Amino acid sequence: MEVGGLEWLLVPMQQLVAWGAAGGMVFGGVVPYIPQYRDIRRTQNAEGFSTYVCLVLLVANILRILFWFGRRFESPLLWQSIIMIITMLLMLKLCTEVRVSNELNIKRRSFAAADSKDEEIKAPPKRSYLDFDLNYFWHWSKFTDYVQCVLTFTCVTGYITYLWLDSSLFVETLGFLAVFTEAMLGVPQLYRNYQNRSTEGMSVKMVLMWTSGDTFKTVYFILNQAPFQFSICGLLQVFVDIAILLQVYSYSSYPQKLVSHTAHPASTKAL
């Protein structure tokens, strides 16, 4: 009777734990970006955050969703990709609005202080998704341009996946590209910090959450004998996270002289 009572208690407990784990898997990847989003809204400055992080995650999660059609993995991972895509679009929308607003403010201040040197006071020209200029790729002036780019990439890769869905080699390659692209997540932020010689404007909480999440994920891959590429890409993510944390320590202990962004409006294109 006692054993039956324990089973009656353990079954719902196990179900709750399973639901909790699934919920953590779906929404856990979004949590690191909450403090960064709040910091950008509060300071109205997005220069410390590289929007290439959004590009990497959008590509990785779109490829992962397409991989699902070739090999059906757990549904929480599928929902995680969908939620992450929505989150990255929200981050892009905020960063674009803040950057364009700052460019307008710079133009107004310059106009008030200028004489007849109109060439020096002009704000950077608006860039569009249809410019086809690689120098300004992902530096566009409107959020709709980013949406068009994401939709175009999704349609093209989706069509290619549809044509090659019966090829196991293609499906496995698609899955590897999704994992490897996600492993490159921290590289844009690492390079952005190196360019600025500073981590100002970047949320350290976000990077700490990256590190803890990637470490947990990598240990999980190793203990569960996941495919070799999963473990390698997980370790690569952890190393990049640690490198960014070392930048935080280095640039705070030995601050570098920064170039004034207000003096060079065009520098905001680095976003």
Side-chain angles (χ1 to χ4, degrees):
M1 187 72 179
E2 184 178 350
V3 175
L6 288 175
E7 288 181 354
W8 177 83
L9 180 63
L10 286 175
V11 170
M13 286 295 293
Q14 290 174 348
Q15 193 172 21
L16 285 175
V17 171
W19 287 346
M25 186 66 70
V26 172
F27 297 103
V30 174
V31 173
Y33 299 96
I34 295 176
Q36 182 68 73
Y37 187 91
R38 294 177 63 185
D39 285 349
I40 294 174
R41 281 187 64 91
R42 177 176 54 84
T43 62
Q44 287 298 296
N45 185 354
E47 290 189 5
F49 176 72
S50 173
T51 52
Y52 280 111
V53 170
C54 301
L55 174 62
V56 170
L57 279 175
L58 285 168
V59 171
N61 284 282
I62 289 171
L63 293 180
R64 187 196 288 182
I65 291 174
L66 294 176
F67 177 58
W68 181 83
F69 289 98
R71 175 182 288 188
R72 300 298 173 92
F73 47 78
E74 295 180 353
S75 56
L77 291 176
L78 178 64
W79 281 106
Q80 180 194 42
S81 292
I82 296 172
I83 297 297
M84 183 61 72
I85 289 172
I86 295 172
T87 302
M88 289 303 101
L89 290 176
L90 290 175
M91 288 291 295
L92 277 175
K93 185 174 187 298
L94 175 64
C95 290
T96 305
E97 290 174 351
V98 168
R99 176 165 52 84
V100 171
S101 175
N102 288 341
E103 287 176 355
L104 289 175
N105 290 336
I106 290 170
K107 181 181 179 182
R108 286 167 185 159
R109 285 198 297 269
S110 300
F111 179 78
D115 341 282
S116 58
K117 300 178 181 179
D118 292 336
E119 295 296 326
E120 298 180 3
I121 64 174
K122 288 181 179 178
K126 291 185 177 181
R127 298 293 172 179
S128 167
Y129 165 64
L130 298 176
D131 284 344
F132 299 108
D133 187 343
L134 291 179
N135 294 323
Y136 293 94
F137 177 77
W138 212 249
H139 305 140
W140 303 310
S141 305
K142 294 181 179 179
F143 172 66
T144 52
D145 291 315
Y146 293 95
V147 175
Q148 290 175 29
C149 180
V150 171
L151 288 176
T152 301
F153 175 79
T154 303
C155 291
V156 171
T157 52
Y159 181 67
I160 295 173
T161 301
Y162 174 75
L163 294 178
W164 291 88
L165 200 57
D166 294 332
S167 170
S168 59
L169 177 61
F170 174 82
V171 172
E172 292 300 325
T173 303
L174 186 65
F176 174 77
L177 287 176
V179 176
F180 182 74
T181 304
E182 188 175 1
M184 296 292 101
L185 168 63
V187 173
Q189 189 64 57
L190 183 73
Y191 181 67
R192 178 69 172 155
N193 296 341
Y194 173 76
Q195 276 188 318
N196 289 345
R197 297 295 192 276
S198 170
T199 57
E200 184 179 355
M202 180 198 73
S203 173
V204 180
K205 292 179 182 178
M206 177 185 71
V207 182
L208 287 172
M209 291 178 184
W210 278 357
T211 308
S212 58
D214 292 339
T215 302
F216 173 81
K217 181 172 61 179
T218 304
V219 171
Y220 175 85
F221 288 155
I222 295 173
L223 292 179
N224 288 273
Q225 299 180 343
F228 182 68
Q229 61 264 35
F230 279 67
S231 300
I232 293 298
C233 292
L235 287 171
L236 180 58
Q237 275 186 284
V238 174
F239 288 147
V240 173
D241 296 340
I242 292 174
I244 295 176
L245 291 176
L246 289 175
Q247 284 182 324
V248 174
Y249 171 77
S250 175
Y251 294 145
S252 61
S253 300
Y254 308 98
Q256 306 290 320
K257 185 176 180 180
L258 297 178
V259 178
S260 173
H261 292 285
T262 56
H264 304 282
S267 65
T268 55
K269 74 182 179 63
L271 283 173

